[in-house]
Amino acid sequence: MSDLAKFQEAFALALRGQAGSACNAGFAADTPGFAVYKNNFTKASIDALVANYPTIERLVGSEWLGACAHAFLEVCPPSSPILADYGAGFADFLDGFEPAADMPYLGSVARLERLWFEAHAAADAEPMSVAALPRDGEGLAATRLRLHPSVRLAFFDQPAATIWRLNRPPADPSDDDLAKIVWRAEGLLLVRSGGEVRSRVLSAPDHRFLSLCAAGEPLEGCATGALERDPTFDVAALLADLFELETFAASPATSPLTGDN
Amino acid sequence: MTATAGLGFKPQHFEAAVAATVDGLWFEVHPENYMVQGGPRLAMLEALRTTHPLSLHGVGLSLVSEARPDQAHLRRLKDLVDRFEPFVVSEHLAWSVWADVYHGDLLPFSRSRSALDAVACNIDITQECLGRTILVENPSLYIALPGHDFEEVEFLSELVRRSGCGLLADINNVYISASNLHFDPAAYLDALPATAIAEIHIAGHAPDPELGTKLLIDTHGTAVAEPVWDLLDHLLRRIGPRPVLVERDENIPEFASLMVERDRAAFALAAVQPGA
């Protein structure tokens, strides 16, 4: 190993609190000067994680999240200079984080934060207009809807989606709002439209319908799958909501963005 | 591009920034904040660059390394350069990545001959990929290291000679390093090769909470300090006008108050324009 590589290895270890080889590499890790580098590394990482999980901060407070981010940093430091992307493994970490044991929904809320970032940063695509749907029943049944690249779907056995929606800043829920949370399984659709990420809580059949769309099923198959979950499922009502949210991408033939993505 | 004064762009200032019609105003961003596939971040930058010239100032290439620049990162940088056509692209004489960990800071090294070879090679690769020259910025230093074969100015000058890169003279960094490592900042600036300097940075710093001014920290969290303004005048008198950027990354005030500092930089430039 070259001198530069030896130095960088020792310096990087010392930044993470393992200063064993610092002396041999020509620097002292216990000086105020070194502490500036160490603080910068720690602060940049923790600030990025906190910025990427604003709903978690709202739920647990800055101090709790700061301490948690510190613990996360020790096992999972940033792997890329794109700090908006930092924390992909944070939800799994929270699931096993002892001090979060009395908030079993926290990991799922963190999963939704991460999906929000993915939706926010996803590729652009022209949305499909509802007017582009075939008018005849047969054509409609055979239509395969393409999800917009920003669409993210999730389903949890807890009301994590409602908790996330109520607490995502700048939302400021009242005690009444929080008291109305029903403890049930539910899902969430995230989709970017008009430059903003929007969300809709999904029932089990809603989620089934969209998952089948994502798998490339024609509309008839999507509706059948949803109806198996709930015979009263209203496909027309869901579709109206989904088109309003710009959930579907225009077909390549009519999209001006073809070839750019 | 003519040598005018610019401002580090902050998304919260977007509306004021796009609407600003001040003569010569330009903006600089960290490309790492825009390495996404689509959405509002890129749309914002697209809008900004239609109204103002743009500069890309990278913090993630980790040029000081025997490992070659990360290909995926370089490709993302190239995509941004191709799309937004910045008038200048810059990076740092530092490293931030080791063993797949990004350390969120611009880290020091011993300026050895082998380090010079490694950095020159990485600049070559970067410039080859981007199809243009880049500027390299002098770092803020907090500790003295052994094993230097070159003074920092010599090292930078040698990089210019070998790779054809330009220099980004960060005067605040020079002031901080000179104070922390006890050298003369004016003499440092006097020794930089004038023709290579294609951009200048100024920013605020802070004394260490415990040690005070014995240890200055590059915070970008306050207004530019008076000695840094003096050094700006000093450098401009020798080399003439160059694009000057006011950086601010912490305690970010209103756009208008940053523009006051930016206008002061414009005033410093006006004083050294030919015929002034």
Side-chain angles (χ1 to χ4, degrees):
Chain A
M1 202 186 249
S2 73
D3 288 348
L4 176 59
K6 274 186 214 150
F7 171 81
Q8 288 176 319
E9 179 169 61
F11 203 92
L13 282 171
L15 288 174
R16 301 183 63 188
Q18 300 160 48
S21 48
C23 215
N24 293 335
F27 68 96
D30 56 355
T31 58
F34 184 81
V36 176
Y37 294 113
K38 194 163 184 257
N39 290 342
N40 285 348
F41 165 52
T42 307
K43 183 177 185 305
S45 308
I46 290 177
D47 284 358
L49 192 83
V50 171
N52 294 344
Y53 290 89
T55 311
I56 302 292
E57 185 180 19
R58 204 188 172 290
L59 286 169
V60 300
S62 303
E63 201 177 322
W64 196 100
L65 181 58
C68 180
H70 210 282
F72 179 66
L73 174 61
E74 282 178 9
V75 294
C76 192
S79 59
S80 146
I82 308 169
L83 285 175
D85 197 28
Y86 177 45
F90 188 52
D92 289 345
F93 175 83
L94 280 174
D95 285 343
F97 189 54
E98 180 61 32
D102 57 347
M103 294 175 279
Y105 49 85
L106 211 57
S108 299
V109 173
R111 267 172 205 101
L112 292 174
E113 297 277 72
R114 177 71 194 172
L115 294 180
W116 182 95
F117 164 71
E118 290 181 13
H120 191 256
D124 298 309
E126 195 65 25
M128 178 184 178
S129 150
V130 70
L133 279 178
R135 302 292 167 89
D136 62 297
E138 207 169 307
L140 194 63
T143 297
R144 287 181 164 85
L145 292 169
R146 271 192 335 137
L147 296 181
H148 189 273
S150 67
V151 166
R152 296 293 183 276
L153 300 171
F155 199 84
F156 304 107
D157 56 9
Q158 305 158 336
T162 297
I163 294 171
W164 178 81
R165 274 164 57 98
L166 279 173
N167 288 282
R168 169 99 187 162
D172 189 15
S174 66
D175 288 350
D176 275 0
D177 293 331
L178 298 175
K180 281 184 211 146
I181 295 175
V182 181
W183 215 260
R184 63 175 181 202
E186 62 181 24
L188 195 74
L189 161 71
L190 292 157
V191 57
R192 195 178 72 228
S193 72
E196 261 180 66
V197 177
R198 297 165 71 189
S199 66
R200 182 190 189 281
V201 172
L202 301 175
S203 66
D206 294 342
H207 183 261
R208 173 92 178 133
F209 179 91
L210 277 163
S211 299
L212 290 167
C213 284
E217 278 292 315
L219 261 179
E220 184 173 31
C222 301
T224 304
L227 283 162
E228 282 167 7
R229 295 287 163 94
D230 176 4
T232 66
F233 173 72
D234 183 347
V235 65
L238 177 65
L239 269 180
D241 277 6
L242 296 179
F243 272 98
E244 195 273 322
L245 287 167
E246 303 187 328
T247 306
F248 304 107
S251 70
T254 58
S255 167
L257 290 177
T258 300
D260 288 347
N261 292 291
Chain B
M1 141 139 186
T2 53
T4 57
L7 205 53
F9 170 69
K10 297 288 143 197
Q12 59 265 47
H13 294 155
F14 173 65
E15 283 172 20
V18 166
T21 55
V22 181
D23 212 24
L25 175 63
W26 54 276
F27 291 103
E28 184 160 287
V29 298
H30 297 311
E32 290 77 9
N33 293 340
Y34 298 88
M35 289 180 174
V36 290
Q37 289 182 285
R41 280 189 197 219
L42 287 171
M44 185 166 60
L45 203 57
E46 190 69 67
L48 189 67
R49 77 117 187 192
T50 60
T51 56
H52 296 86
L54 204 60
S55 149
L56 294 186
H57 183 50
V59 294
L61 263 184
S62 206
L63 290 172
V64 176
S65 169
E66 273 151 6
R68 304 288 74 101
D70 180 76
Q71 285 300 304
H73 189 78
L74 203 48
R75 201 169 46 246
R76 288 190 287 262
L77 180 61
K78 182 176 168 49
D79 287 345
L80 289 171
V81 168
D82 288 349
R83 175 166 173 185
F84 294 104
E85 301 174 315
F87 72 92
V88 69
V89 179
S90 55
E91 253 289 350
H92 294 83
L93 181 62
W95 59 284
S96 55
V97 177
W98 175 260
D100 294 327
V101 173
Y102 172 67
H103 294 92
D105 197 15
L106 299 158
L107 301 169
F109 66 104
S110 299
R111 295 179 297 270
S112 63
R113 287 184 181 82
S114 60
L116 179 68
D117 292 340
V119 181
C121 176
N122 286 340
I123 294 174
D124 281 343
I125 288 168
T126 303
Q127 295 186 143
E128 180 74 23
C129 169
L130 300 182
R132 59 188 290 167
T133 56
I134 63 167
L135 310 185
V136 176
E137 177 184 320
N138 56 292
S140 303
L141 299 175
Y142 304 112
I143 56 174
L145 292 174
H148 295 303
D149 294 326
F150 302 88
E151 295 296 327
E152 192 170 276
V153 168
E154 292 174 331
F155 196 93
L156 288 165
S157 303
E158 196 57 26
L159 288 176
V160 168
R161 194 184 67 77
R162 287 198 193 186
S163 72
C165 71
L167 297 180
L168 195 173
D170 188 313
I171 297 180
N172 186 50
N173 290 359
V174 173
Y175 183 78
I176 289 166
S177 297
S179 175
N180 292 343
L181 272 54
H182 314 295
F183 62 83
D184 177 4
Y188 179 108
L189 291 173
D190 290 346
L192 283 176
T195 52
I197 301 172
E199 185 182 341
I200 295 169
H201 275 181
I202 52 174
H205 58 258
D208 182 80
E210 282 166 35
L211 293 180
T213 54
K214 280 186 197 157
L215 179 62
L216 296 183
I217 303 175
D218 185 21
T219 55
H220 294 190
T222 61
V224 179
E226 285 308 316
V228 171
W229 286 113
D230 292 343
L231 287 168
L232 173 65
D233 290 335
H234 179 88
L235 178 64
L236 292 177
R237 275 197 297 274
R238 177 172 76 90
I239 68 171
R242 296 287 193 282
V244 176
L245 181 87
V246 177
E247 292 183 290
R248 185 69 172 257
D249 297 303
E250 295 278 334
N251 301 323
I252 297 164
E254 294 293 297
F255 182 74
S257 85
L258 288 181
M259 281 299 284
V260 172
E261 287 194 284
R262 180 267 169 203
D263 291 345
R264 182 168 170 184
F267 191 73
L269 282 167
V272 296
Q273 291 291 348

